[in-house]
Amino acid sequence: MTGVGAAKGMAIGKAVIQYEIPEIIARKCLDPAMEVGKLEQALQTSEQQLDNLIATQKADPRGEADIFVAHKMFFSDPDLLEKIKEKILVEQVTAEWAVKAVFGDYMEIFSAMGNTYMQERVVDLKDVAERIIRNILGKPSIDYNGIAAESILIVKELTPSIMASIPKDKIQGIIMEEGGLTSHTIILANLFEIPTIIRAGSLSNIHNGDEVLVNGDTGEFFVNPEKKVNTEFREKMAVLIAHKKALRSFVGQASHSKDGIKVEIACNIGEPEDVAIVKQNDGEAIGLYRSEFLYMNRLAPPTEEEQFSAYAKVLKDMQGKKVIIRTLDVGGDKALDYLKITTEENPFLGYRAIRYCLEHPEIFKTQLRALLRASIYGQLLIMIPMISGVEEVRNVKAILLELKKEMQAKSIPFAADIKFGIMIEVPAAAIISDILAKEVDFFSIGTNDLIQYTIAVDRMNSKVARLYSAYHPAVLRLIYQVVQNAHQAGIWVGMCGAAAGESSLVPLWLGMGVDEFSVTPSSVLEVRALLTELNSKYWRQQVADILASASSEEVMEKLKELKAKDARARAND
Ligand code: PEP
Ligand code: MG
């Protein structure tokens, strides 16, 4: 069977299914007493699950036991539980509907209280209701504590926040029925090096415990395969492991083209602990720390202190090397219940990132203050996402200046020369990059979003996924324009979207003059190895020809031909 390979690598393990539950609608039941029995059983199971979660989370230094302790409190509310039973018996409805309806009423009451604490409890109520309903239906959530060490997760689609919390040491591979190639879930799968396949179609014929083979490079997967397929797969996997081992010879080497043009290979990370993976892969800097992951899987935004310790840890651990921390990029596919960004028709075009931050100074200033305070521990660069116009840049600079003055007045130290940059991920910003370049110290091109906004193709929508392409000539022309404008203004330009690490495009980026490649840590050595084979002068001469292509397909063809030519020329050197 085949889907789309979204995170590279191969894996073998036992299937663990995340069951979908149907939409719960108001339905009469035949036997109310039996429904009450189902409810009582489900409540008991749910409480047991929460006890187990609390115990394991308490044992984990990064655990979040408090969340589950809060969830358990609802089980000691006799009023709530009585109301559910009463609803089943009086209205003769199913247990799952009674839970949904009664919890729904509570959620409305809590939301209306206008009190932050009570509003935060709405998220808890939603989670608890889902847990009980899943147990009534016999489709419980996966018990990640209890699963085997070599598991393959089978799921319709994973949200970034669930992805951030799965046990990375146990999940060897993931297959999803749906999913977007540059969704934040996939970005995390790459970071954690979990081979992942998306858009695999219906997976209902896979059962818990089936043997599953995942090839994240090709998108192929096999369920309980015959011996021959199994053997061939294991042989391929051994070759892949050997290749990875061979790449280790590039550890400690400088990153440059064959003709000596130096570039920087930095890494994208999601949390402070990821610095360890960066170091293992010899990343030269942090080109993008997506700070929003610090805001996920919790009930309220992180405090200034929490943020300060996270940022300071990354800066200290990177020992003076460049660390670009991107300010909160919330919205789009990264919804946070407690920020109350209501459902939008077009979330990626809506209340996102800097647009949200500039309207919520209390949240934004807390983050900037934490960043400034942490800056004394290393080489911090601050980067702003989703910039679409010069006013946003100037507004952020003014806020930063104001905060610096406040801190100076209070004798709170911060680094003297914190570089300030922006992401170029909206076509408007790319088009006026000559103007923006005069305002900032650096650019980082976010191809994931730049592609979606340029081609008008939602990066999450499977139905239009075939249109999403980093090879589209319109995208490439914009990128070249940005690189030229940056260099003309004397600033450097990096690239931190997934295309930065795409082997077939790396020669083009080198030819265009991209100064920094920020990639998922597992790609550092691959990109470094590739660069040492490329002649920058040759690729610079090919840029105009590639940009004259009529379509993505033509670009791909040209890149292939030119690569073969470059290789032949090298062979004759
Ligand atoms: C991008 O858009 O390319 C990017 C790096 O940001 P994110 O993927 O987090 O939106
Ligand atoms: Mg982006």
Side-chain angles (χ1 to χ4, degrees), residues 288-306:
L288 169 65
Y289 172 7
R290 290 182 164 95
S291 67
E292 53 276 10
F293 287 106
L294 200 58
Y295 291 67
M296 287 181 184
N297 291 318
R298 47 190 304 142
L299 304 171
T303 61
E304 184 182 314
E305 280 316 304
E306 280 177 82

Side-chain angles (χ1 to χ4, degrees), residues 326 329 352 425 449 459:
R326 177 175 76 182
D329 185 11
R352 217 195 133 178
E425 50 184 349
D449 277 317
R459 68 197 257 193

Side-chain angles (χ1 to χ4, degrees), residues 397-417:
K397 280 163 70 176
I399 296 174
L400 264 174
L401 197 65
E402 173 198 320
L403 291 176
K404 283 182 183 174
K405 280 187 186 154
E406 272 175 30
M407 287 172 66
Q408 256 157 356
K410 290 185 193 156
S411 304
I412 303 171
F414 56 88
D417 186 22

Side-chain angles (χ1 to χ4, degrees), residues 182 184 187 288 290 292 326 329 334 352 423 425 445-450 459 496-498:
T182 58
H184 287 87
I187 286 167
L288 169 65
R290 290 182 164 95
E292 53 276 10
R326 177 175 76 182
D329 185 11
K334 290 171 289 193
R352 217 195 133 178
M423 293 204 53
E425 50 184 349
I445 303 172
T447 53
N448 301 339
D449 277 317
L450 189 61
R459 68 197 257 193
C496 60

Side-chain angles (χ1 to χ4, degrees), residues 361-431:
E362 71 294 351
I363 288 188
F364 195 35
K365 284 185 182 174
T366 303
Q367 178 170 43
L368 293 177
R369 232 180 272 118
L371 283 167
L372 291 176
R373 280 176 54 203
S375 66
I376 54 170
Y377 295 102
Q379 192 195 153
L380 171 70
L381 295 82
I382 297 177
M383 178 159 77
I384 312 297
M386 264 299 271
I387 290 291
S388 62
V390 77
E391 305 79 7
E392 289 160 340
V393 181
R394 290 182 183 153
N395 284 341
V396 178
K397 280 163 70 176
I399 296 174
L400 264 174
L401 197 65
E402 173 198 320
L403 291 176
K404 283 182 183 174
K405 280 187 186 154
E406 272 175 30
M407 287 172 66
Q408 256 157 356
K410 290 185 193 156
S411 304
I412 303 171
F414 56 88
D417 186 22
I418 303 169
K419 300 286 183 216
F420 176 80
I422 56 172
M423 293 204 53
I424 302 287
E425 50 184 349
V426 176
I431 293 165

Side-chain angles (χ1 to χ4, degrees), residues 227-283:
K227 198 157 176 254
K228 187 167 166 277
V229 174
N230 209 317
T231 312
E232 276 174 14
F233 191 91
R234 283 169 199 272
E235 280 167 8
K236 268 194 203 160
M237 207 164 149
V239 172
L240 192 71
I241 293 168
H243 170 67
K244 277 198 148 183
K245 230 175 171 178
L247 281 177
R248 299 297 302 169
S249 64
F250 286 90
V251 170
Q253 308 252 2
S255 301
H256 54 76
S257 66
K258 191 173 191 303
D259 52 343
I261 295 296
K262 180 129 189 34
V263 294
E264 185 171 43
I265 307 182
C267 289
N268 298 345
I269 62 165
E271 48 184 50
E273 287 70 21
D274 299 338
V275 171
I277 318 178
V278 174
K279 290 195 161 170
Q280 276 159 27
N281 289 283
D282 201 27

Side-chain angles (χ1 to χ4, degrees), residues 6 12 35 41 133 143 161 209 228 247 259 272 280 305 325 332 334 374 382 420 439 441-442 478 489 491 499 503 520:
I12 299 175
E35 293 297 309
Q41 181 62 50
I133 290 172
D143 169 15
S161 60
K228 187 167 166 277
L247 281 177
D259 52 343
Q280 276 159 27
E305 280 316 304
I325 303 186
K334 290 171 289 193
I382 297 177
F420 176 80
E439 299 279 338
D441 300 310
F442 68 93
L478 276 180
I491 65 169
S503 318
T520 195

